[in-house]
Amino acid sequence: MTKPVISRESFSARIWRKTLAGVGVKFGLGWVALLVFCAVFAPFLANSMPLLMSKNGVISAPVLEYLSVEDTWILASFLIALAVYRLNIDGGKQILLFLLGSALAALLVNSFVKPPVLVIYDDFRSAAYTQVDWKLMPPIPYAPVDYLRDLGSKGLEAPFATEGHTHLMGTEENGADVLSRMIHACRISLSIGLIASGIALAIGIVIGGLMGYFSGVVDMLGMRLVEIFEDIPTLFLLLTFVAFFGRSLYMMMVIIGVTGWSGYARYVRQEFLKLRKQDYVQAAVASGLPLSSILFRHMLPNGVAPLLVAVSFGVAGAILSEATLSFLGLGVVDAPSWGAMLDQAVKSSTFNWWMAVFPGGSIFMTVFAYNLIGEAFRDAIDPRLSDKAGGKA
């Protein structure tokens, strides 16, 4: 008599397998992975300086000499994330280890990385960098803030319109290459989407969890707080802060995060109100477990399904908020942004189609990708949806 085969697949592995079963989520993850790749390796993908070159037998890497503190920290954090991912520890410890490693990398980078204060991109087209034994240039040989004045760029030139120089996506109003700025703008879109949503998610989980677990007076006071924050117009608050305190990407992240947690709190509260009477929760209370363990280790994993879709919409909304501010001319000044490039589509008397199609298409694809990922996670985690799928099969 053969013994039944017992599956030893973990819960997270089963959810991940079900999530990847759809075609849409693969497309969404592929697009986000492409954005991450562009954001991490932007200095090596689009830059006016050589990656490697040999002059008089001496090999050098100019791009490494000019890496900024931000570039170095992003590369270090990416390597830390890969190293932590390969460790055989649970997800919570991985996240904590990554945050500690990134913080340490930030301190070290700020202490030891001292790039040149002034970068003149015209110099990289001078004899010192052209009359060499050999050199290896990035795929896009233009930096995002290289305005090509020595080449006579007039700005807002359509793709392939410049003689002798190939700009696959044309140039923007100051003469910089659009494709280069598109690649470097991935950093702003990813950072403001993930960090702002992370702030909102952390606040929403704590407040919503306390409301749902204790109910009563705590729930009533918490819901009044939720209603107050739901009435705050985030866009107008951002415009007000920009008017008084200037433009800052970090300020945008904090404001979007602090004003966007109410939806997450409602989802968590609703799930915790249902879960608080479950037998395993009562057993955890009777065992004398601390409140943090009951809320976040036992109840939260069983009520996380609605949050996943909400987070995907939250990330998309944060990206759209930044794009809206940049489109209105109130975004970050010293860094390329998809919204700011979109604004240049109607800057002159003619419609600059390439400034609308490429940045606008990237915003649409990014928002669409996050929504596909959130829907796929919801379908994989929610047992009611799994039961329906199994019944249809």
Side-chain angles (χ1 to χ4, degrees):
M1 182 177 179
T2 58
K3 295 181 179 181
V5 179
I6 300 176
S7 174
R8 297 186 180 275
E9 187 179 28
S10 66
F11 174 75
S12 58
R14 183 169 68 253
I15 294 303
W16 184 244
R17 176 178 52 80
K18 290 181 178 180
T19 302
L20 293 179
V23 177
V25 69
K26 293 177 182 176
F27 170 80
L29 289 172
W31 179 260
V32 174
L34 177 62
L35 295 183
V36 172
F37 178 79
C38 291
V40 173
F41 299 103
F44 306 97
L45 296 174
N47 215 324
S48 298
M49 57 193 69
L51 301 177
L52 285 172
M53 75 174 193
S54 174
K55 186 173 183 178
N56 299 325
V58 179
I59 298 178
S60 61
V63 69
L64 296 180
E65 300 173 8
Y66 285 86
L67 277 182
S68 66
V69 172
E70 178 186 358
D71 295 333
T72 309
W73 178 75
I74 290 175
L75 282 171
S77 298
F78 179 73
L79 295 176
I80 291 171
L82 292 180
V84 170
Y85 176 75
R86 296 182 65 87
L87 296 178
N88 190 20
I89 56 178
D90 61 63
K93 292 181 180 178
Q94 284 183 335
I95 295 175
L96 180 60
L97 191 59
F98 168 72
L99 293 177
L100 291 175
S102 296
L104 179 60
L107 292 175
L108 294 175
V109 166
N110 277 283
S111 301
F112 296 103
V113 176
K114 304 295 181 184
V117 178
L118 180 63
V119 182
I120 302 176
Y121 291 102
D122 296 357
D123 293 346
F124 296 103
R125 288 182 286 272
S126 64
Y129 289 90
T130 56
Q131 298 178 6
V132 295
D133 302 332
W134 57 265
K135 65 178 179 179
L136 176 64
M137 293 296 294
I140 311 300
Y142 307 105
V145 290
D146 184 0
Y147 301 121
L148 308 174
R149 294 186 177 93
D150 58 320
L151 301 179
S153 179
K154 300 177 182 178
L156 289 177
E157 296 176 334
F160 301 102
T162 307
E163 296 183 3
H165 302 280
T166 302
H167 298 284
L168 298 178
M169 293 185 179
T171 61
E172 47 95 70
E173 61 179 357
N174 294 315
D177 185 78
V178 171
L179 180 54
S180 176
R181 294 180 69 83
M182 289 280 296
I183 291 174
H184 285 261
C186 293
R187 291 183 173 184
I188 287 184
S189 296
L190 285 177
S191 60
I192 200 167
L194 296 177
I195 295 177
S197 297
I199 294 173
L201 184 63
I203 299 174
I205 286 176
V206 172
I207 295 179
L210 293 175
M211 288 192 300
Y213 180 77
F214 289 106
S215 67
V217 177
V218 175
D219 185 29
M220 182 184 67
L221 294 176
M223 285 304 298
R224 301 294 81 77
L225 187 64
V226 166
E227 291 169 358
I228 290 173
F229 274 85
E230 283 182 339
D231 291 334
I232 297 176
T234 303
L235 182 59
F236 289 103
L237 183 63
L238 284 169
L239 292 173
T240 303
F241 269 80
V242 168
F244 280 96
F245 303 105
R247 309 175 188 183
S248 171
L249 180 63
Y250 303 106
M251 181 187 68
M252 290 184 193
M253 294 176 183
V254 172
I255 292 176
I256 294 173
V258 170
T259 58
W261 58 267
S262 56
Y264 302 131
R266 283 184 178 273
Y267 282 118
V268 176
R269 169 187 175 272
Q270 180 182 356
E271 293 299 313
F272 277 32
L273 284 173
K274 295 185 293 185
L275 295 173
R276 62 195 294 264
K277 296 299 183 182
Q278 296 292 322
D279 292 339
Y280 70 90
V281 176
Q282 297 300 317
V285 174
S287 300
L289 294 178
L291 179 61
S292 59
S293 178
I294 296 173
L295 291 178
F296 306 122
R297 187 175 181 84
H298 295 278
M299 296 180 69
L300 183 59
N302 292 281
V304 75
L307 277 178
L308 295 174
V309 180
V311 168
S312 69
F313 283 104
V315 173
I319 293 173
L320 287 175
S321 296
E322 186 279 328
T324 302
L325 277 181
S326 298
F327 179 77
L328 295 175
L330 299 173
V332 182
V333 179
D334 55 349
S337 166
W338 290 340
M341 287 187 282
L342 192 62
D343 178 40
Q344 296 179 21
V346 290
K347 275 285 186 179
S348 62
S349 57
T350 59
F351 177 67
N352 308 306
W353 63 267
W354 63 97
M355 298 302 299
V357 171
F358 300 123
S362 296
I363 294 172
F364 169 79
M365 293 296 293
T366 303
V367 173
F368 184 52
Y370 279 117
N371 290 343
L372 288 176
I373 294 171
E375 291 287 343
F377 271 117
R378 184 201 65 180
D379 295 346
I381 290 179
D382 197 330
R384 291 165 295 186
L385 295 176
S386 299
D387 292 342
K388 290 179 181 179
K392 291 180 181 180

